Amino acid sequence: MDKKQEDIYQNGEDIDDSMFDDPEGYVDDISDDELMADLLEKRPVEETSLDNIIVVDNAPVVGSDRLAKLKNVLKKIFQRFGEIITEFFPTNSSGETKGYFFMEFATHEQAVAAVNAGNGYRLDKSHIFSVYFFTDFEKYEKLPDEWTPPSKEKYEEKGNLWSWLLNSDCQDQYSVIHSTGSAVSVFTNTNTEPKLVMKRENWTDTYVRWSPRGTYLATFHKQGIALWGAEDFKRLGRFSHVGVSLIDFSPDERYLVTFRKALEEGDNESLIIWDIKTSAKKRSFAAADATDWPIIKWSHDGKYFARLSTDRLSVYEISSFFMLDKKSIVVQAIKDFSWSPTDNTIAYWVPEVEQIPAKVTLIEIPSRKEIRTKNLFLVKDVRMNIYHV
């Protein structure tokens, strides 16, 4: 722009569009890719991946008159893993479903969650889902005709996790956090002077906790939990849960429960159950707070766990990590519950409301059969302890 054009532009005078025309004979040889490379990188691209599509096998075979109801039931089960974009139920010539269906999720991560949690889900006694990715078809088509044995993985020796039980005097171990919290030491509780077993600086960020049987020592860190064990207290597992503040173990030490304060409203991973041996995440929940810790309580045989919510007691099967019979036990104003130490019986209590007395109830799991109910008058609080006689 020359001086005259600049004066016209700044003075707000009418501008002749011809002033911006290209010179006569000018050839534009600059491509869009060169001129707007940064913008073209951000342009929408058609999604061609099939990684967010799953296949669910062993579904009920129903006619067209019951298909809408079946779709509604299955959608309720799978929409907990994410946004369902489309669904497709193949049918035969008579209109009956073929026992399998397809679902497309909004993201691959949601499809992964659906496969991991949905595989093995028991819809009823006759239908246990087999869930896998649609892309698995292509993978299996490319399998070689000749079988090649898998390479042998190197065995990692974890040591004797129960070495402390070999102590000839049956002396326990205990841990102490000292030096203003910068060091953790493990001692053997000898009769005279405690014997130092292990001392490490900056072993934990906050505190430590033993598992119920003493197999693992858990340390807390900003990014999650670490488990240590064996003779030299080597690290046996890591569990990533940013902001974790509380943990608990299942009685058989198969599972670890971690809790953090919800990062945002609807945080569905404030409470997580982990498989200790594999470090795999088995189930997560939203939990506003941990006032009544532990939130998760386990049956004596490790087949079930239960958690309390407003007016509901939810029991889950360990085999699938899904809710027993796909529904909670509704109990208005339920306050607390406890498992029996010897059988799968739950005791729960409800406080007194106006003219209605408080009550304690025993129910059998999995049948949910009510064994006994006891009314209590003028009761403010109840602490339940079940003893085996």
Side-chain angles (χ1 to χ4, degrees):
M1 184 182 294
D2 58 25
K3 184 67 171 61
K4 179 180 179 181
Q5 291 174 329
E6 184 178 355
D7 291 341
I8 294 174
Y9 183 79
Q10 292 179 347
N11 294 331
E13 300 180 19
D14 293 338
I15 300 176
D16 185 0
D17 291 342
S18 63
M19 296 169 60
F20 299 95
D21 291 344
D22 294 327
E24 185 177 352
Y26 173 77
V27 177
D28 186 359
D29 58 354
I30 301 177
S31 66
D32 289 344
D33 290 339
E34 295 176 296
L35 188 62
M36 300 183 295
D38 55 336
L39 295 177
L40 292 174
E41 286 182 358
K42 301 178 181 179
R43 64 184 173 183
V45 179
E46 183 179 357
E47 179 62 61
T48 58
S49 174
L50 301 176
D51 290 342
N52 55 342
I53 301 176
I54 67 169
V55 184
V56 183
D57 198 8
N58 202 29
V61 175
V62 299
S64 57
D65 57 329
R66 298 175 57 197
L67 180 55
K69 183 177 180 180
L70 177 64
K71 286 184 177 181
N72 186 49
V73 171
L74 297 176
K75 190 172 183 178
K76 286 182 179 179
I77 294 173
F78 284 93
Q79 68 184 2
R80 71 184 70 178
F81 307 116
E83 180 186 358
I84 299 174
I85 304 300
T86 57
E87 56 187 37
F88 175 63
F89 289 74
T91 57
N92 57 25
S93 57
S94 62
E96 286 187 334
T97 60
K98 295 185 176 181
Y100 62 90
F101 61 93
F102 303 85
M103 276 189 173
E104 179 184 1
F105 285 87
T107 66
H108 173 62
E109 291 73 21
Q110 294 174 0
V112 170
V115 170
N116 291 340
N119 190 44
Y121 177 78
R122 183 187 297 272
L123 183 65
D124 53 42
K125 293 182 179 180
S126 304
H127 301 91
I128 301 176
F129 291 155
S130 294
V131 186
Y132 42 92
F133 294 104
F134 183 80
T135 51
D136 287 346
F137 287 108
E138 182 179 357
K139 179 177 68 176
Y140 295 137
E141 284 179 353
K142 295 180 179 180
L143 289 176
D145 294 333
E146 294 185 5
W147 178 77
T148 303
S151 57
K152 187 176 180 180
E153 295 185 6
K154 183 180 179 181
Y155 173 71
E156 182 182 352
E157 177 60 52
K158 294 185 176 181
N160 184 356
L161 301 183
W162 302 277
S163 60
W164 54 278
L165 291 175
L166 299 177
N167 186 289
S168 58
D169 296 322
C170 301
Q171 295 163 334
D172 290 331
Q173 291 181 350
Y174 63 92
S175 60
V176 177
I177 300 176
H178 56 92
S179 303
T180 65
S182 64
V184 177
S185 295
V186 178
F187 296 91
T188 297
N189 189 25
T190 55
N191 293 331
T192 53
E193 190 72 18
K195 180 181 178 182
L196 179 66
V197 178
M198 181 65 63
K199 177 183 177 181
R200 287 179 185 168
E201 300 290 334
N202 302 314
W203 202 353
T204 184
D205 291 343
T206 53
Y207 65 101
V208 299
R209 176 166 176 184
W210 293 96
S211 60
R213 299 178 179 176
T215 308
Y216 305 103
L217 179 66
T219 57
F220 289 68
H221 308 274
K222 292 180 180 179
Q223 299 301 318
I225 298 295
L227 295 185
W228 312 79
E231 302 94 327
D232 54 354
F233 284 90
K234 65 172 62 177
R235 189 172 64 195
L236 303 175
R238 291 184 294 179
F239 307 87
S240 179
H241 199 188
V242 177
V244 59
S245 58
L246 293 170
I247 67 169
D248 193 35
F249 292 87
S250 62
D252 57 8
E253 297 186 336
R254 292 174 58 195
Y255 301 103
L256 172 71
V257 183
T258 60
F259 170 82
R260 72 177 179 203
K261 185 178 180 180
L263 300 180
E264 58 186 2
E265 187 176 353
D267 181 3
N268 291 322
E269 294 204 339
S270 54
L271 185 72
I272 300 179
I273 302 177
W274 307 85
D275 186 305
I276 289 180
K277 287 186 177 180
T278 64
S279 297
K281 184 189 302 181
K282 304 301 293 185
R283 185 71 193 253
S284 62
F285 300 94
D289 59 60
T291 304
D292 297 318
W293 187 259
I295 298 175
I296 300 295
K297 297 182 181 181
W298 308 83
S299 65
H300 78 289
D301 57 3
K303 290 185 177 181
Y304 306 97
F305 68 89
R307 62 188 293 258
L308 201 62
S309 56
T310 304
D311 297 333
R312 279 172 171 75
L313 176 63
S314 301
V315 181
Y316 298 81
E317 295 180 283
I318 292 294
S319 58
S320 64
F321 278 84
F322 278 94
M323 193 180 299
L324 179 66
D325 296 335
K326 303 183 288 297
K327 59 183 179 181
S328 299
I329 303 170
V330 178
V331 183
Q332 295 296 325
I334 183 172
K335 190 70 174 178
D336 196 10
F337 75 98
S338 179
W339 285 95
S340 164
T342 57
D343 51 32
N344 289 328
T345 301
I346 289 179
Y348 68 83
W349 81 279
V350 177
E352 184 175 336
V353 179
E354 296 179 352
Q355 301 301 318
I356 303 174
K359 68 176 182 178
V360 176
T361 302
L362 297 177
I363 58 172
E364 194 272 337
I365 299 297
S367 68
R368 303 177 183 231
K369 179 182 176 182
E370 188 174 299
I371 301 173
R372 187 177 179 184
T373 296
K374 175 73 173 179
N375 290 333
L376 304 173
F377 297 90
L378 302 177
V379 171
K380 185 178 180 180
D381 197 7
V382 173
R383 291 289 181 265
M384 293 177 292
N385 294 284
I386 304 175
Y387 297 94
H388 176 60
V389 179

